[in-house]
Amino acid sequence: MSSTLIVGAAPVTDSRAFYRALLTAADRVIACDGAGEWCVALGRYPDLVVGDFDSSVAGAEDRLGALGIPIERHPSAKDESDLDLALAVARRMGSSGVTFTAAFSERLDHTLGALGTLVRARDLAPSIEEPDFMAMIVDAKARSSVQMSVAIGATVSVLALQAASGVTLEGLEFPLVNGTLSLLSSHGLSNIAQAKRVTVSVAEGTLLVIASREAVDSTRD
C-alpha cells in the first residue's frame, strides 16, 4: 500500500519549486481537472486525471491522452467535487494515506467543500501541504493523535470540526490537558510552538490542526 498525492486546480502562484518537490516525492499522483497539465509542466505525469475538465485548457484531454495518462472524465452535472472523485479513486487504488495540495482557493465555498473532503478521508490519515502551511485531521475514531516537528515560534491552530473532548495540546505556549473545544471555537487559534515537537490528541470528536510552513515534518500515531 502507498500514499497518494491529490492535486487540486488551485495552486498558489509563484510556488512552482514547492509543488515540484512535492510531486517528485509522491508515491502516486491523482490530478483534478486542470491540474493534469500543470503536473506535466512541473515534470510529473499524474497516474490519473479525474474531473469534468471545466478548469482545463481546451484540448487538454487529447494532449494528456497522447502522453498515455489515464483519464476519468465525469459530467459537469455531478453530485461530487473533483476532490471527492479523486479521493474515491485513491481508495480504489488501495492508498494507505492521502495528501491534498493546490486545493484551497480564494472561494470560501470551495475551501469549505475541500475541508469536507479532508474529513471524509479521515481513515486515510489525511494531510494538507501548501506553500504557507500544513494541516492534519485528528479524529478520535481514526488517527487520535499526531506529533508535528516544528520550528520554535511556529503558529499552530487547532479547530474543532465537531465538538471535541479529551483534547490535549503539548509543546505549545498555551497547553491544554483533557480539555474541550466547541464547534469551530476560536479557543485554539494562533497558539505558538514552544518546543520542536508538538503533540495534539483527542478522545472524542474531530480536530483540524494547522501549522505555519515552519512546520516541516510530522509523525503519526
Side-chain angles (χ1 to χ4, degrees), residues 17 25 29 38 43 48 60 70 80 94 101 119 124 134 136 148 156 168 195 202:
V29 174
W38 180 67
L48 185 138
E80 304 88 356
T101 193
V119 172
L124 296 178
M134 64 174 291
M136 296 178 182
M148 305 173 75
V156 180
T168 297
V202 64

Side-chain angles (χ1 to χ4, degrees), residues 11 76 85 97 100 104 113-114 120 139 147 167 171 178 189:
S76 57
L85 294 172
F100 297 86
F104 302 89
R120 287 186 286 278
D139 183 83
Q147 291 184 324
V167 179
N178 200 32
L189 286 178

Side-chain angles (χ1 to χ4, degrees), residues 4-9 29-37 39 45-56 60-61 64 69-76 78 80-93 100 117:
T4 296
L5 177 66
I6 295 176
V7 185
V29 174
I30 299 173
C32 297
D33 210 316
E37 288 197 294
C39 289
Y45 283 19
D47 294 272
L48 185 138
V49 181
V50 62
D52 56 14
F53 286 84
D54 64 343
S55 64
S56 296
E61 286 183 84
L64 292 168
I69 298 172
I71 294 171
E72 184 177 301
R73 184 182 176 89
H74 291 260
S76 57
K78 61 186 190 302
E80 304 88 356
S81 69
D82 289 342
L83 279 184
D84 277 332
L85 294 172
L87 175 59
V89 171
R91 291 187 185 281
R92 293 203 308 265
M93 290 180 170
F100 297 86
T117 303

Side-chain angles (χ1 to χ4, degrees), residues 54-198:
D54 64 343
S55 64
S56 296
V57 177
E61 286 183 84
D62 292 337
R63 291 188 293 273
L64 292 168
L67 294 173
I69 298 172
I71 294 171
E72 184 177 301
R73 184 182 176 89
H74 291 260
S76 57
K78 61 186 190 302
D79 294 329
E80 304 88 356
S81 69
D82 289 342
L83 279 184
D84 277 332
L85 294 172
L87 175 59
V89 171
R91 291 187 185 281
R92 293 203 308 265
M93 290 180 170
S95 298
S96 57
V98 289
T99 297
F100 297 86
T101 193
F104 302 89
S105 70
E106 295 178 354
R107 283 186 55 174
L108 179 60
D109 54 346
H110 283 190
T111 293
L112 291 174
L115 289 176
T117 303
L118 195 74
V119 172
R120 287 186 286 278
R122 57 182 172 265
D123 59 308
L124 296 178
S127 63
I128 300 169
E129 293 286 350
E130 296 291 354
D132 296 331
F133 72 93
M134 64 174 291
M136 296 178 182
I137 290 289
V138 187
D139 183 83
K141 296 181 180 179
R143 176 177 56 178
S144 62
S145 179
V146 296
Q147 291 184 324
M148 305 173 75
S149 295
V150 302
I152 293 176
T155 300
V156 180
S157 293
V158 181
L159 292 167
L161 299 182
Q162 60 177 243
S165 61
V167 179
T168 297
L169 312 177
E170 301 176 70
L172 295 168
E173 182 177 0
F174 305 105
L176 189 63
V177 178
N178 200 32
T180 60
L181 289 175
S182 58
L183 176 65
L184 296 179
S185 167
S186 60
H187 183 69
L189 286 178
S190 299
N191 216 325
I192 303 296
Q194 298 292 292
K196 292 183 178 180
R197 187 174 294 276
V198 169

